[in-house]
Amino acid sequence: QNRCLAPLPDAGSSTEEMEFNWDEYLEDTGATAAPHGSFKHVDTSLQNGFAPGMKLEVAVKSDQNTYWVATIITTCGQLLLLRYDGYGEDRKADFWCDIMTADLHPIGWCEQNKKILKVPEGIKDKIPDQEEFLQRVLKGACSAPANLLEGLHRGKNPLDLIAPGSRLELQNMRDSLEAWIVNVVENVGGRLKLRYEGLEDSDKFDQWLFYLDPFLHQVGWASQHGYSLQPPSAIRSLKNEADWQEILKKVKEEEEESSIPTDLFKDKPVIGVHSFSEGMKLEAVDPMAPFVISPATVLKVYNEKYFMIEIDDLRPDRTTSQSYICHVNSAGIFPVQWSLKNGLHLSPPPGYPGQDFDWADYLKQCGAEAAPQSCFPSLTSDHGFKESMKLEAVNPVDPEEVCIATVTKLKDSYLWLQLEGSKKPVPDCIVSVESMNIFPVGWCETNGYQLRPPRKAIVNKQKKIAVVQPEKQILSSRTVHDGLKNQELNSSDSVVINGKYCCPKIYFNHRCFSGPYLNKGRIAELPQSVGPGNCVLVLKEVLTLLINAAYKPSRVLRELQLDEEAAWHGHGETLKAKYKGKSYRATVEVVRTADRVADFCRKTCIKLECCPNLFGPQMVLDKCSENCSVLTKTKYTHYYGKRKNKRIGRPPGGHSNLEVAMKKPNKRRKRRKNFFVHKKKRSSASVDNTPAGSPQGSGAEEEDDQDESELSHSLAQDRDKRKRKLRTFSFSDDENKPPSPKDIKMEVAEKLQLDSNPLDWSVADVVRFLKSTDCAPLARIFLDQEIDGQALLLLTLPTVQECMDLKLGPAIKLCHHIERVKLAFYQQFAN
């Protein structure tokens, strides 16, 4: 849960604390959070200098006097997931270790320190020649950096090396290409509060910048690149020249003490060469007041990288100008007519006669040329933001404030943000999707910074989640206050890295088998990865993306919901699903610590009957270690699925409650009340319990009852002409048992005699059967979707319409033949 505390308005002498809850707020506003993967600068800030694929020498657990080479599989703050070389693709022996406490060293350390490199017992038989093996695996290998494994920087997130008191150089963004030294006053997750050197007692000129800002550099940058080191004009008059020179001398003497490793800035955006000329006109947003788009002029070109822009002002009596330094990738500069082409308002320059601004007349009046399109970087729309999404954003008027923000408009790679809760209301801000002043939901909470809550905040003293016990229907409550503040964390169930929960990046491996629940087309549209970041937030986002990528989101939500009988080992999160105009929600358990993430992802994949590598902290590059691509859908589901027992009328992937029913066939089970809640009614409403495409509707979910009744009605109408009755194959939650053959009373005009059991049919067999019917043109779909005999028996009218995109008429005709196969199966092979 994400909470921020803010004082309520004064009410007499007493003060009360208002608790802001992001989850409650998103639910009440019906909004979604912008995806974590859209904030690339935050992603970069969480990297720890280690990278998957790097190798190091690690003490062997079973024999602490020996070492062996291991490869980094994934990283998470000061935790590394390692695998000893020799295990190949086998992940069973993967292990987490803490950089601060584990016996880890760079490649070559054992040889230098006369330590023994020895193959671990588990893979001794796989490596007959140790020397030859090491030569082969270490050829061209990248060793983990020695400075991150030893000395003062060991185990530290590089970002945390920018400590208060550290010095940097900041280019002057207003006057010219000068730079001056700044002191780090505060570091909030990479967002730095900076104070000019020489102004230790004054915060009047303090600035907030993200550490990757292209105008921020390590000490020594100015002299290396030929720029002068001068205090900006705004503060120059505060001291005489001798004082400034004395300050500069002091800084050079203390340079080593306050220095920051240069490799910390290796991920900064590279500034390219521009092609602007002085006098060119363009459209621009003033970064200090990014509320309107205005005509602007290239005032000065400094060199191939930097130029100055001035917002046009035609007033003869103006005393100040809005000018600032730009580079080719600067945000908020556009070609002439960009606003018009995008249906946006262009604010005429102050002093312009009339309100109807016309670029052609204006250029003629000024005797200027428009900057050509080639001067501007290409804009991308592939960023993940959508209208109405929520995030956290810096208030440009007061950079101390980080507010809740709502995306109100999107144009190319620019967002219009409405800020909520700011001390003084501001118009919608225009920011680039790559801005370093926007952050994902929960960023302030994770970094211990005050988020400005909305004016009408949600008061929530202590959030409790009701858990419905199965059978007895007794309500118990569990406090979900998970204490994200460091002092409240329990070391037994939480891992805190540098004051943060840290989850490794979760990859969606689109090539892996997606199973019966998830739509492969929608899975392919998911981002490549989510995170890293707060474990609960990252995993919640991953599960939400999976739910939305399902054939029936409510079904996947049902599969993921917290098992009421299981012990609570993680953290309860409320997730929602929408299907056929209805809203469902359930409590889903997610893990809170990095060391349990990989296992959580794997178990969730198996629960959804997809490849265990479909998503998780390991990227599948070429070939999946589970070899999922060579298995047919049915065989794969049967191998990895939860339900492996074959039973008449229940091919693999059937009803999740069947096993209970089989053990107690004569005992009626009480209808289990679950905690799926229809959003409008706020009452208990059941959700489907079967995988997508199952012939057995649950009978417990309102929508699936409706689907099955639609199937009965449609097929009955079609078969009335043949004088036969239809009974749909469905299990009810009350009875939980498959229909026996004697219960099925169907008379088929064209009785089908099968030569083989359809459960054993291959994809080719299914295609061959369809080609013998009047649905032959549909055989191509079955071939493309690899539908074999077991999958064929799982098809119903709703799934045929939804998954094959068929109209009702052809779908009914196809289902007629599927029902013939089902009936023949029951009559010929059920016994």
Side-chain angles (χ1 to χ4, degrees):
Q1 303 286 335
N2 296 301
R3 298 180 172 84
C4 288
L5 298 178
L8 282 168
D10 291 338
S13 59
S14 64
T15 57
E16 190 179 352
E17 282 193 329
M18 179 188 298
E19 190 177 272
F20 173 72
N21 181 307
W22 255 119
D23 291 330
E24 295 265 346
Y25 180 71
L26 289 173
E27 184 172 348
D28 286 356
T29 56
T32 56
H36 280 244
S38 296
F39 303 87
K40 294 182 177 63
H41 60 297
V42 177
D43 191 343
T44 301
S45 72
L46 294 171
Q47 304 305 317
N48 62 2
F50 295 95
M54 286 181 175
K55 294 185 183 294
L56 30 71
E57 295 174 355
V58 187
V60 177
K61 291 182 180 179
S62 57
D63 185 355
Q64 292 293 320
N65 294 320
T66 65
Y67 296 79
W68 189 242
V69 175
T71 300
I72 298 174
I73 303 301
T74 192
T75 68
C76 179
Q78 68 189 47
L79 296 179
L80 301 178
L81 182 64
L82 302 177
R83 182 183 303 163
Y84 285 121
D85 281 18
Y87 276 96
E89 295 298 316
D90 185 359
R91 62 166 71 184
K92 292 176 184 174
D94 290 3
F95 58 98
W96 288 94
C97 65
D98 188 326
I99 302 165
M100 294 297 288
T101 57
D103 197 356
L104 309 174
H105 304 281
I107 296 297
W109 180 86
C110 284
E111 186 178 355
Q112 293 169 8
N113 293 274
K114 295 185 170 46
K115 298 290 182 181
I116 301 170
L117 273 174
K118 183 180 176 183
V119 183
E121 287 296 326
I123 49 174
K124 209 167 187 179
D125 57 335
K126 296 182 180 180
I127 305 175
D129 187 335
Q130 176 176 312
E131 293 301 321
E132 183 274 333
F133 176 81
L134 286 176
Q135 283 183 3
R136 178 161 45 86
V137 298
L138 295 179
K139 186 177 181 180
C142 176
S143 173
N147 66 310
L148 297 178
L149 293 168
E150 302 162 353
L152 294 174
H153 295 167
R154 177 175 177 171
K156 285 189 177 181
N157 184 327
L159 182 61
D160 293 323
L161 300 177
I162 310 179
S166 300
R167 289 192 177 108
L168 294 164
E169 288 181 3
L170 176 63
Q171 280 179 269
N172 190 329
M173 289 177 272
R174 282 290 186 187
D175 300 325
S176 65
L177 287 182
E178 298 175 339
W180 186 242
I181 299 100
V182 286
N183 273 288
V184 176
V185 178
E186 195 174 349
N187 178 356
V188 180
R191 188 167 182 257
L192 309 178
K193 186 175 185 179
L194 304 170
R195 184 168 298 167
Y196 285 118
E197 187 73 40
L199 302 185
E200 288 76 11
D201 301 325
S202 172
D203 61 0
K204 183 179 178 182
F205 298 95
D206 286 1
Q207 298 181 56
W208 283 92
L209 288 175
F210 203 73
Y211 81 105
L212 296 173
D213 190 287
F215 286 93
L216 199 58
H217 311 278
Q218 69 271 21
V219 171
W221 175 89
S223 59
Q224 290 170 12
H225 293 81
Y227 298 129
S228 61
L229 209 54
Q230 294 284 344
S233 57
I235 66 169
R236 198 171 297 171
S237 60
L238 299 178
K239 295 182 184 291
N240 59 42
E241 187 60 29
D243 289 339
W244 289 121
Q245 290 303 318
E246 187 63 31
I247 289 169
L248 202 55
K249 181 182 176 183
K250 179 188 172 188
V251 168
K252 289 182 178 178
E253 289 173 356
E254 299 173 356
E255 190 170 325
E256 281 193 20
E257 296 175 22
S258 60
S259 65
I260 294 171
T262 55
D263 61 353
L264 189 63
F265 300 96
K266 69 182 186 310
D267 296 313
K268 277 177 55 175
V270 177
I271 296 175
V273 175
H274 72 82
S275 53
F276 287 94
S277 301
E278 287 184 13
M280 283 183 174
K281 294 285 184 182
L282 64 157
E283 297 180 2
V285 175
D286 183 353
M288 306 305 287
F291 311 119
V292 296
I293 304 172
S294 309
T297 305
V298 177
L299 192 63
K300 185 176 181 180
V301 172
Y302 291 95
N303 54 27
E304 62 179 13
K305 286 190 176 181
Y306 300 104
F307 55 96
M308 178 179 281
I309 278 182
E310 182 180 48
I311 303 296
D312 285 1
D313 188 337
L314 304 180
R315 293 173 296 185
D317 56 345
R318 65 170 181 156
T319 55
T320 59
S321 68
Q322 294 170 277
S323 59
Y324 52 95
I325 304 293
C326 285
H327 51 83
V328 69
N329 293 318
S330 287
I333 56 174
F334 314 100
V336 162
Q337 304 287 13
W338 186 83
S339 297
L340 181 65
K341 290 175 182 175
N342 285 279
L344 301 169
H345 175 69
L346 181 70
S347 182
Y352 182 82
Q355 290 297 312
D356 296 327
F357 181 83
D358 181 81
W359 261 116
D361 291 345
Y362 185 62
L363 289 171
K364 190 174 180 180
Q365 174 188 334
C366 298
E369 64 169 322
Q373 180 73 47
S374 59
C375 289
F376 300 88
S378 57
L379 301 177
T380 175
S381 56
D382 182 23
H383 45 67
F385 291 101
K386 294 179 182 176
E387 283 189 17
S388 301
M389 279 184 170
K390 302 285 183 180
L391 56 142
E392 299 177 2
V394 175
N395 182 352
V397 175
D398 183 1
E400 289 273 351
E401 284 187 359
V402 180
C403 304
I404 293 170
T406 306
V407 179
T408 58
K409 192 187 301 181
L410 273 166
K411 294 293 178 184
D412 290 326
S413 50
Y414 285 85
L415 309 173
W416 274 251
L417 298 179
Q418 181 185 54
L419 303 185
E420 302 175 38
S422 55
K423 293 175 185 174
K424 297 178 181 178
V426 295
D428 284 8
C429 308
I430 305 169
V431 300
S432 164
V433 295
E434 296 181 349
S435 168
M436 297 184 193
N437 283 327
I438 58 176
F439 304 95
V441 162
W443 183 84
C444 280
E445 177 69 27
T446 301
N447 291 285
Y449 195 76
Q450 172 67 59
L451 174 70
R452 292 289 304 175
R455 288 179 178 81
K456 293 182 180 179
I458 300 155
V459 177
N460 181 15
K461 293 298 177 188
Q462 196 174 48
K463 176 69 179 170
K464 293 179 183 277
I465 287 182
V467 179
V468 182
Q469 300 292 345
E471 305 293 346
K472 297 181 181 178
Q473 309 249 331
I474 298 173
L475 290 180
S476 65
S477 62
R478 178 184 180 86
T479 303
V480 204
H481 195 305
D482 58 335
L484 286 177
K485 294 177 183 175
N486 297 345
Q487 63 269 27
E488 297 175 10
L489 292 171
N490 186 329
S491 60
S492 64
D493 65 359
S494 301
V495 175
V496 182
I497 300 161
N498 300 323
K500 308 174 185 71
Y501 282 83
C502 193
C503 177
K505 187 180 290 187
I506 304 299
Y507 295 96
F508 289 105
N509 297 308
H510 300 127
R511 295 181 183 178
C512 289
F513 176 69
S514 55
Y517 294 95
L518 304 174
N519 185 318
K520 190 166 184 67
R522 293 178 196 162
I523 289 289
E525 295 172 359
L526 295 181
Q528 186 180 19
S529 62
V530 173
N534 179 305
C535 267
V536 172
L537 294 179
V538 169
L539 293 177
K540 183 177 179 182
E541 183 177 338
V542 167
L543 295 181
T544 300
L545 288 170
L546 289 171
I547 289 169
N548 293 335
Y551 289 110
K552 290 189 176 182
S554 55
R555 238 172 222 183
V556 169
L557 187 58
R558 176 67 176 254
E559 287 297 322
L560 295 176
Q561 75 171 325
L562 188 67
D563 184 352
E564 297 137 278
E565 297 174 357
W568 189 310
H569 297 296
H571 175 80
E573 278 292 321
T574 300
L575 297 184
K576 294 178 288 184
K578 290 187 178 180
Y579 184 65
K580 291 190 174 181
K582 297 178 183 178
S583 295
Y584 301 88
R585 63 177 180 173
T587 302
V588 174
E589 185 179 22
V590 296
V591 297
R592 308 195 312 182
T593 60
D595 56 331
R596 297 173 62 195
V597 167
D599 185 56
F600 171 82
C601 292
R602 187 174 179 85
K603 286 180 177 176
T604 304
C605 285
I606 292 173
K607 190 181 290 186
L608 296 180
E609 301 184 25
C610 56
C611 174
N613 288 339
L614 182 67
F615 63 92
Q618 187 171 9
M619 184 192 294
V620 174
L621 296 174
D622 298 318
K623 189 177 180 183
C624 172
S625 60
E626 302 291 339
N627 209 20
C628 65
S629 60
V630 303
L631 294 167
T632 66
K633 288 190 176 183
T634 309
K635 288 179 183 175
Y636 195 90
T637 304
H638 182 60
Y639 181 74
Y640 278 110
K642 304 180 292 298
R643 300 167 282 279
K644 295 186 180 180
N645 299 336
K646 283 193 177 182
R647 185 140 181 118
I648 304 305
R650 187 181 64 85
H655 196 283
S656 62
N657 286 337
L658 282 181
E659 292 175 14
V660 177
M662 289 170 192
K663 292 175 185 174
K664 302 177 182 179
N666 298 320
K667 185 175 180 181
R668 249 180 112 83
R669 231 185 123 179
K670 289 186 181 179
R671 188 178 186 89
R672 187 162 101 179
K673 182 179 178 184
N674 57 53
F675 42 96
F676 271 68
V677 180
H678 191 294
K679 189 171 183 181
K680 291 181 182 176
K681 296 182 181 177
R682 296 286 180 185
S683 62
S684 178
S686 297
V687 184
D688 199 330
N689 220 13
T690 60
S694 171
Q696 302 93 355
S698 71
E701 185 180 9
E702 195 177 326
E703 67 193 54
D704 284 334
D705 287 339
Q706 185 178 350
D707 289 346
E708 294 297 339
S709 63
E710 285 175 8
L711 172 59
S712 300
H713 181 67
S714 300
L715 292 180
Q717 281 184 330
D718 185 50
R719 295 168 188 177
D720 276 345
K721 299 174 184 177
R722 299 179 179 85
K723 304 289 185 183
R724 66 171 183 242
K725 297 177 183 178
L726 168 74
R727 172 181 173 123
T728 54
F729 301 116
S730 63
F731 301 157
S732 78
D733 268 355
D734 290 330
E735 300 188 4
N736 272 337
K737 61 181 181 180
S740 62
K742 64 182 179 182
D743 292 331
I744 302 167
K745 298 176 182 178
M746 302 179 73
E747 298 173 10
V748 182
E750 311 144 36
K751 188 172 181 180
L752 185 64
Q753 190 68 28
L754 298 178
D755 296 329
S756 60
N757 190 332
L759 284 177
D760 299 325
W761 284 4
S762 65
V763 175
D765 293 330
V766 172
V767 170
R768 196 175 299 114
F769 165 73
L770 284 173
K771 285 185 175 179
S772 69
T773 70
D774 56 356
C775 290
L778 302 179
R780 169 57 61 181
I781 300 176
F782 282 72
L783 183 63
D784 291 342
Q785 297 198 17
E786 299 178 11
I787 296 174
D788 60 10
Q790 293 188 43
L792 179 74
L793 294 175
L794 291 172
L795 293 177
T796 62
L797 181 63
T799 51
V800 163
Q801 285 184 273
E802 182 179 352
C803 304
M804 298 185 178
D805 198 23
L806 296 180
K807 293 183 179 177
L808 183 60
I812 291 175
K813 187 185 293 185
L814 176 60
C815 285
H816 161 61
H817 293 295
I818 294 171
E819 291 298 321
R820 293 172 63 209
V821 175
K822 288 179 184 177
L823 180 63
F825 164 72
Y826 280 114
Q827 290 179 337
Q828 293 178 238
F829 302 101
N831 295 322

